Amino acid sequence: MDLLPFLVHTLGILVVLDISVNGCTYDHKCNCSLVRGTWYADCSDRGLVRSPKFWPNVTRINLSRNKLKSLPERSLLPDDLTHFDLSNNEIVTFRNNAFQQLWKLTELKLRGNALRVTNELSSNVFEDLLNIKYLDLSNNPELTLRIMPILTRGIQSSTIEILILQKIHYTFSLGVKLRIEDVRFLKHTNLKQIYLSGNNIEQIENGAPYFFPQSLEIFSVPDNRLYTFENISLQNISELYINNNWLGISIESDIDGRIFENLRNLRHLHLEANGIAHLPFMVFKSLKNLQDLDLSDNLLTIVEFDILKLKALKYLGLSGNQLQAFPESTRKTLSHLKEQTNFSLNLLNNPLRCDCKTLDFLQWMVKERKLGKITFPHFRDYACTKSSSDRKVLKFTNIEIQIEELIKQCSSYTTLVFIIASLIILFLAVLSAGLIYRVRWKLRYFYYMTKSRYHGYKAVRGDDQSDFKYD
């Protein structure tokens, strides 16, 4: 009587052992393991040209780094699939039913393929991905932004949180516009992060940002060709990446600070490599919660924007600009800012000057660094020159010694300037005195002539004037 239960139990153990040893597919081409209580089929980097058929109890599948030409047929996939990685294959087209009834899928990775939009592609291809949270279609250069209306329409009722569409255009293709049609279905999603770098986007259509969901926290469009940027009214956005674009002229002309005025909760702003030569005083007037401002690799020669408005600022990146020194007003502002928060200032790869005019600036950097109030990343890698024509570069390895030498040079220079100025003044005084003495009679003549012109002729009268008689 006890034999049957024993055989059933033994058979169950053997099945589990077979799954663990031989895999989660019917042809045993993948490794299978338990991850967080569910079965994970690792089929990556096996040279597969077609997908195996997976057991129904598999929830995570990794088919990355193979040679698949198309998406797996739906019949090969388990219904309870939650994580699906097809990255770095050779997949060209979507199957219209590829994701049909994959309602539990939360993570889908299709980066690094050769996907493209064809006329046969159904607009409903993504509609069953109701629980999708993470979707990555990056590095499919033939996909283009044509996929966006289909994709955003399909996920409009989903739980999408992270959408990655980086490099879905060829690098040297014509510039494109991010249209209202591309994003209008995102309005009522709970999307938190969107990544659109490297897509040759020249312009975001007027009104398109209105359809960005209020839940958006990270908006990333670096490495594009944006030459204008519309005011975005998103209260929850905390990170904005618009570096490596062509926004120099647009930002330089924003004298009223309208571009960023509605991003009051922004904490990280990246504006590197935008060809910015000048920043208006009020450009960041509303960014009171900004902690990280990166302006590296631009063309700035002076920092004139209102830093005091950035009360929460902890990092200011100015590396790779054209800065030679900070004026006293900027140094005082930064010293005041550091009293409110720990502050880091990056000035690496600027053409800093080491001369008498910038001595105060050099001493200020060393003092603040020694006190630990302001940190200068890679400080010892800084370099400076004594003049624009001087090719000799002085490293900051021993900047304290160089400052001491500079103090002596500048002291002698100041004394010399004072002596020369005094001699010039003395020479001019002696020369003036000599000239006045030489023409003293002419000057006296002109004095009396001028006096007689205004006062007229006056006869000289004596006490005995009444004794004279005239015929």
Side-chain angles (χ1 to χ4, degrees), residues 194-387:
I194 185 168
Y195 300 88
L196 296 168
S197 67
N199 286 318
N200 296 333
I201 300 173
E202 289 185 345
Q203 186 180 0
I204 299 175
E205 185 178 359
N206 290 336
Y210 169 78
F211 294 95
F212 294 160
Q214 288 300 316
S215 58
L216 195 63
E217 297 174 359
I218 299 176
F219 184 53
S220 178
V221 284
D223 305 310
N224 282 287
R225 302 176 186 175
L226 284 172
Y227 58 86
T228 183
F229 194 76
E230 184 180 347
N231 183 315
I232 297 178
S233 298
L234 294 173
Q235 297 301 320
N236 291 319
I237 194 166
S238 61
E239 299 181 29
L240 178 60
Y241 299 88
I242 49 178
N243 45 296
N244 292 86
N245 280 286
W246 301 345
L247 292 170
I249 295 176
S250 178
I251 292 176
E252 289 170 11
S253 59
D254 185 26
I255 59 175
D256 297 320
R258 295 186 181 278
I259 292 178
F260 307 110
E261 67 179 350
N262 292 320
L263 302 177
R264 299 183 183 276
N265 289 314
L266 193 66
R267 286 174 171 76
H268 303 275
L269 176 58
H270 286 254
L271 290 166
E272 306 100 286
N274 269 292
I276 303 171
H278 165 72
L279 285 168
F281 185 72
M282 300 295 289
V283 66
F284 304 127
K285 66 178 183 181
S286 301
L287 304 183
K288 296 180 181 179
N289 292 306
L290 191 67
Q291 298 178 3
D292 175 13
L293 176 58
D294 201 333
L295 295 163
S296 302
D297 301 317
N298 280 291
L299 304 171
L300 296 171
T301 58
I302 190 170
V303 176
E304 295 178 314
F305 61 88
D306 191 0
I307 301 176
L308 288 178
K309 294 289 186 182
L310 309 178
K311 296 181 180 180
L313 193 65
K314 294 182 179 180
Y315 175 80
L316 178 58
L318 291 168
S319 63
N321 278 278
Q322 298 299 313
L323 297 165
Q324 296 183 358
F326 282 166
E328 184 179 2
S329 59
T330 303
R331 299 198 301 268
K332 286 183 177 180
T333 300
L334 292 173
S335 296
H336 176 75
L337 188 66
K338 73 163 185 332
E339 300 296 335
Q340 303 177 29
T341 178
N342 293 328
F343 186 67
S344 180
L345 176 63
N346 192 346
L347 293 172
L348 185 67
N349 295 329
N350 275 282
L352 301 177
R353 286 291 178 83
C354 289
D355 56 27
C356 295
K357 293 181 180 179
T358 63
L359 177 59
D360 290 343
F361 168 67
L362 299 173
Q363 291 176 314
W364 172 80
M365 279 198 295
V366 171
K367 177 184 175 182
E368 295 293 347
R369 183 174 179 271
K370 186 176 181 181
L371 293 173
K373 298 296 182 67
I374 299 179
T375 59
F376 296 87
H378 312 288
F379 182 74
R380 295 300 178 183
D381 294 327
Y382 288 15
C384 63
T385 57
K386 292 185 176 180
S387 66

Side-chain angles (χ1 to χ4, degrees), residues 31 68 72 157 172 189 209 224 274 301-302 362 369 418 442:
N31 288 330
L68 302 180
S157 300
F172 300 106
T189 67
N224 282 287
N274 269 292
T301 58
I302 190 170
L362 299 173
R369 183 174 179 271
F418 176 77
K442 289 184 179 181

Side-chain angles (χ1 to χ4, degrees), residues 87 274 443:
S87 302
N274 269 292
L443 292 174

Side-chain angles (χ1 to χ4, degrees), residues 68-71 89-95 113-118 140 142-143:
L68 302 180
K69 301 290 185 180
S70 61
L71 290 171
N89 279 279
E90 301 171 9
I91 302 171
V92 176
T93 59
F94 294 95
R95 290 182 187 273
N113 282 282
L115 287 167
R116 61 171 67 99
V117 176
T118 61
N140 285 280
E142 295 185 57
L143 193 58

Side-chain angles (χ1 to χ4, degrees), residues 34-52:
L34 275 173
V35 176
R36 299 176 185 175
T38 60
W39 290 109
Y40 170 53
D42 185 1
C43 315
S44 61
D45 201 16
R46 293 175 180 272
L48 299 177
V49 294
R50 63 180 181 84
S51 172

Side-chain angles (χ1 to χ4, degrees), residues 128-236:
D128 282 354
L129 300 179
L130 296 178
N131 283 294
I132 195 73
K133 293 184 180 297
Y134 180 99
L135 179 55
D136 187 356
L137 292 171
S138 300
N139 296 92
N140 285 280
E142 295 185 57
L143 193 58
T144 73
L145 291 186
R146 288 181 60 195
I147 192 62
M148 288 202 67
I150 299 172
L151 174 62
T152 56
R153 182 181 183 277
I155 62 174
Q156 63 179 317
S157 300
S158 72
T159 58
I160 187 69
E161 292 183 357
I162 301 174
L163 181 58
I164 307 177
L165 298 169
Q166 299 172 331
K167 295 183 179 179
I168 58 173
H169 270 270
Y170 281 115
T171 303
F172 300 106
S173 63
L174 296 176
V176 297
K177 178 189 290 188
L178 185 64
R179 305 165 301 167
I180 292 176
E181 182 184 358
D182 297 328
V183 297
R184 66 189 180 98
F185 291 110
L186 294 176
K187 179 68 175 176
H188 300 293
T189 67
N190 291 315
L191 186 66
K192 294 181 178 179
Q193 303 175 23
I194 185 168
Y195 300 88
L196 296 168
S197 67
N199 286 318
N200 296 333
I201 300 173
E202 289 185 345
Q203 186 180 0
I204 299 175
E205 185 178 359
N206 290 336
Y210 169 78
F211 294 95
F212 294 160
Q214 288 300 316
S215 58
L216 195 63
E217 297 174 359
I218 299 176
F219 184 53
S220 178
V221 284
D223 305 310
N224 282 287
R225 302 176 186 175
L226 284 172
Y227 58 86
T228 183
F229 194 76
E230 184 180 347
N231 183 315
I232 297 178
S233 298
L234 294 173
Q235 297 301 320
N236 291 319

